[in-house]
Amino acid sequence: MLKVKIKIKEVLKQRNLTQKQLESMSGVSQARISKLTKEDRQEVNLEMLTRIAAALGITDISELIQFEEVPDIENEPTLK
């Protein structure tokens, strides 16, 4: 099963930036940036990602998003 991974944490670390600094640069609140970085996030707001990418000068979306293979727990055979 594929899951969308948002790589904001990694990008901020590489660029030595904080979520608060990104908030100032992008106009996206730090709380929303934090929610985007959570593993259990269910939705991704494309407008917010676009603003974040623009603020960071990212033109290749793969710098910000990637698919990640995760085990499909619901369809795994059960051990007896």
Side-chain angles (χ1 to χ4, degrees):
M1 182 170 130
L2 290 176
K3 181 178 178 180
V4 174
K5 177 179 172 141
I6 307 294
K7 302 189 292 185
I8 293 173
K9 278 184 186 179
E10 292 90 339
V11 171
L12 291 178
K13 188 173 183 175
Q14 289 170 354
R15 296 174 185 217
N16 200 28
L17 294 169
T18 66
Q19 290 181 7
K20 201 69 179 157
Q21 289 170 313
L22 181 55
E23 173 185 47
S24 296
M25 295 165 63
S26 67
V28 176
S29 74
Q30 187 273 325
R32 288 184 181 252
I33 293 168
S34 178
K35 284 183 183 178
L36 281 172
T37 65
K38 302 286 185 208
E39 292 292 322
D40 62 349
R41 151 200 38 71
Q42 296 294 315
E43 296 178 350
V44 176
N45 184 307
L46 294 179
E47 182 183 341
M48 278 190 259
L49 277 183
T50 301
R51 289 166 54 190
I52 288 168
L56 294 170
I58 293 174
T59 57
D60 181 353
I61 197 65
S62 68
E63 290 184 53
L64 216 51
I65 298 175
Q66 76 181 39
F67 284 114
E68 189 173 69
E69 189 73 38
V70 293
D72 189 357
I73 297 170
E74 291 178 11
N75 294 321
E76 277 189 12
T78 52
L79 298 175
K80 294 185 180 184

